[in-house]
Amino acid sequence: MGDRFSQIDIPLEWLDLFGAVVISVDYRLAPEATGTTLVDDCYQGLLWAAAHADELGIDPSRIVVAGASAGGGLTAGVTLMARDRGTPAIAAQVLIYPMLDHRNNTTSSRQYSGGPGVWTHGMNEFGWRSVLGDRTDGNVPGYVSPAVADDLSGLPTTYIDAGTAEVFRDEDVDYATRIWAAGGQAELHIWAGGFHGFDALYPHARVSAAARRTRNDWLTRVLSPASEA
């Protein structure tokens, strides 16, 4: 659901904060597009941005990929794809309550199985079924469902956040843990009482303002020259 403008207010904050160039990829949607098509579309957007860095005024050494919810899962998939293909260089990835695991079998996914809810176990099952098409568990690549990727080493520094009251809580914690286990750098924040999309739906709530501020502070550190860090 949605389009390239969905939750665009989050990265638009970075225009003034960092003098950033924000590029949003209008990738094809499931169920018409399935499998790796969605992440391939996003990867092509990344390649295009890197190839046009000069005319866009982009510093190619400070390219950050970011996404929320399903977009967070696609961000993780794009980052894995770029690592495996050796191009382009990514300085950091920002995964905002990302959708990472098609198996949908964590404690939090079962805990939030009924309504009302922004995104429930049943909705998650439907979403993944739409993305996977006829693919079975043993035939789901890590680019599509990053939680099943065998190797999380060699990834750029990573920011992950989620709420305690959402389906994706446990898979997001596990992803950060596996990055650490592989020797990588990750910062993880799980916001007490936060439900899926809390900071986008209620940006002025105290927990939402804290989540946005903490995310932006992390990006400030990552994007600052070493002498200023």
Side-chain angles (χ1 to χ4, degrees):
M1 63 183 182
D3 56 29
R4 67 185 185 278
F5 302 113
S6 298
Q7 298 185 352
I8 196 69
D9 59 303
I10 293 176
L12 287 185
E13 291 183 348
W14 305 337
L15 294 175
D16 292 332
L17 285 173
F18 310 118
V21 175
V22 175
I23 298 169
S24 184
V25 179
D26 197 18
Y27 59 88
R28 286 168 284 182
L29 302 179
E32 292 78 12
T34 60
T36 58
T37 301
L38 292 76
V39 71
D40 282 334
D41 284 353
C42 294
Y43 180 68
Q44 291 302 316
L46 174 63
L47 290 178
W48 181 89
H52 293 80
D54 286 345
E55 62 189 86
L56 293 170
I58 292 173
D59 179 350
S61 70
R62 299 202 298 172
I63 293 176
V64 174
V65 290
S69 192
L74 290 171
T75 298
V78 164
T79 304
L80 289 166
M81 190 173 285
R83 177 202 63 184
D84 293 345
R85 298 180 181 179
T87 185
I90 295 174
Q93 62 172 337
V94 180
L95 310 181
I96 304 167
Y97 29 81
M99 181 178 179
L100 299 172
D101 194 343
H102 75 282
R103 294 167 295 190
N104 200 26
N105 61 3
T106 64
T107 296
S108 59
S109 73
R110 294 189 296 270
Q111 190 174 8
Y112 297 100
S113 58
V118 174
W119 192 253
T120 65
H121 178 96
M123 294 174 183
N124 200 40
E125 184 177 297
F126 172 78
W128 276 115
R129 190 166 61 247
S130 299
V131 171
L132 296 179
D134 58 2
R135 290 176 182 264
T136 59
D137 265 354
N139 193 30
V140 178
Y143 300 144
V144 176
S145 182
V148 304
D150 292 331
D151 180 13
L152 297 187
S153 65
L155 297 177
T157 186
T158 300
Y159 186 93
I160 302 175
D161 63 2
T164 59
E166 69 165 300
V167 168
F168 299 141
R169 180 193 68 210
D170 294 347
E171 64 197 64
D172 295 348
V173 170
D174 183 66
Y175 202 71
T177 301
R178 290 184 58 212
I179 290 175
W180 295 324
Q185 292 289 338
E187 182 159 329
L188 171 68
H189 292 270
I190 303 297
W191 296 97
F195 55 87
H196 189 61
F198 68 97
D199 68 320
L201 293 171
Y202 297 98
H204 301 297
R206 287 186 179 181
V207 66
S208 301
R212 286 181 175 235
R213 182 173 59 252
T214 302
R215 192 183 300 139
N216 291 341
D217 287 347
W218 180 85
L219 271 171
T220 299
R221 296 196 302 274
V222 167
L223 294 174
S224 295
S227 60
E228 300 176 10

